[in-house]
Amino acid sequence: MSKFDEATQAIRVDENTYDVCLDPGYAIGGPLNGGYLMAVILRAAVDASPFEHPVSQTAQFLKAPVPGPAQVRIEPLKAGRTAAFARATLVQDGVAHIEGLITTATLQDVEPVYSGAAAPGMPPIEECAKLPDPKPESGMTLNAQLELLFDPPTIGWLKGEPSGRPESRAYFRMAEPQDPDPYVLALAVDVLPPVVFSAGMRGWAPTVDLTWHLRALPAPGWLTLVGSGRLISDGWFDEEVEVRDSTGRLIAQSRQLARVGRG
């Protein structure tokens, strides 16, 4: 079992309740990363499902949970021959912090009938750059759990040279050797810096609502993350992320609505 598996494990208490312990190693300057929290919830939802894979997850972030004990409560809604639907709630100290819906199914390893446009071009890994290591007092513990190597133009904001477009592109893998799986993908879709950074904005940008889809099971190796936004307006922005595996195949998609950074 990897460190990430341990940090996201859910222990069954009864038919609809799971105990979890939220790990402080996945913080982003205080709050816990939303993708990590979604992975925790998925562990419980998949265990309670008759199917193997989480093909869709929607999460509304009502309140930021803190590291420590919590529970995931699963409410089955319907189970058919090919998919099951459930409501999942992350509860801490008796208060709902994350509410959402999860669809599970069993994916097959098949060739796509149609796969759309080719992946956007990325420079070779050796030409990509990492973010500076955060200061210990920053509370950015997430960085130690993973490796992100960025297409240099999308982190020009580090030098005060944002591209002017909401975008972010990077190669991603866990710091501890681990083949990507659906739970790693839940983290991957929310692990890029907010795309508004490249549009010249800064500060913590809290996610309000995030939906992601698992489209295929990933091959081993680096993942490629391509993030973009369509509209920044009235203190809100959207962010879409496509995830491709080491073969270039599209394996996950996400869209989130978030608040523009404060401070």
Side-chain angles (χ1 to χ4, degrees):
M1 180 181 289
S2 70
K3 291 180 180 178
F4 182 69
D5 292 340
E6 292 180 356
T8 56
Q9 68 178 328
I11 300 172
R12 189 168 189 162
V13 176
D14 58 38
E15 185 176 352
N16 302 113
T17 308
Y18 290 78
D19 281 342
V20 298
C21 188
L22 304 180
D23 194 308
Y26 295 83
I28 47 172
L32 293 168
N33 173 262
Y36 162 71
L37 295 168
M38 291 195 303
V40 172
I41 294 168
L42 282 183
R43 291 282 186 192
V46 173
D47 184 80
S49 169
F51 298 101
E52 294 182 46
H53 305 127
V55 296
S56 180
Q57 180 180 22
T58 296
Q60 287 79 44
F61 294 83
L62 310 177
K63 185 178 181 180
V66 298
Q71 286 189 326
V72 177
R73 297 176 183 170
I74 305 297
E75 178 188 348
L77 300 176
K78 181 183 178 181
R81 291 187 300 168
T82 60
F85 308 88
R87 179 176 289 109
T89 307
L90 179 72
V91 178
Q92 192 170 56
D93 297 327
V95 177
H97 285 61
I98 300 174
E99 183 84 45
L101 299 173
I102 295 171
T103 303
T104 51
T106 299
L107 297 178
Q108 307 297 326
D109 187 13
V110 298
E111 287 296 318
V113 175
Y114 174 78
S115 58
M122 281 283 287
I125 287 181
E126 58 270 17
E127 296 179 13
C128 291
K130 63 174 293 187
L131 296 177
D133 292 332
K135 297 178 181 179
E137 64 271 19
S138 70
M140 286 287 295
T141 59
L142 176 67
N143 299 52
Q145 314 302 330
L146 48 87
E147 293 183 70
L148 277 172
L149 296 174
F150 291 87
D151 188 0
T154 69
I155 54 171
W157 48 267
L158 274 174
K159 300 178 181 179
E161 301 173 356
S163 69
R165 299 180 300 275
E167 60 183 355
S168 187
R169 297 183 293 274
Y171 294 104
F172 165 77
R173 68 181 179 185
M174 302 302 294
E176 181 183 15
Q178 177 178 1
D179 289 338
D181 61 17
Y183 308 103
V184 170
L185 291 176
L187 176 65
V189 298
D190 193 42
V191 80
L192 291 170
V195 293
V196 289
F197 284 10
S198 283
M201 301 173 185
R202 300 295 290 269
W204 178 50
T207 300
V208 176
D209 179 279
L210 193 156
T211 296
W212 79 279
H213 306 301
L214 174 68
R215 306 307 310 277
L217 299 178
W222 287 90
L223 301 174
T224 301
L225 314 181
V226 178
S228 62
R230 295 191 179 188
L231 179 67
I232 306 169
S233 177
D234 196 25
W236 296 86
F237 73 97
D238 60 272
E239 178 173 313
E240 297 183 358
V241 176
E242 288 191 354
V243 184
R244 295 179 183 265
D245 68 8
S246 58
T247 71
R249 181 177 53 167
L250 179 64
I251 54 170
Q253 303 160 286
S254 74
R255 174 179 285 181
Q256 67 171 279
L257 183 66
R259 296 291 290 165
V260 172
R262 294 170 289 182

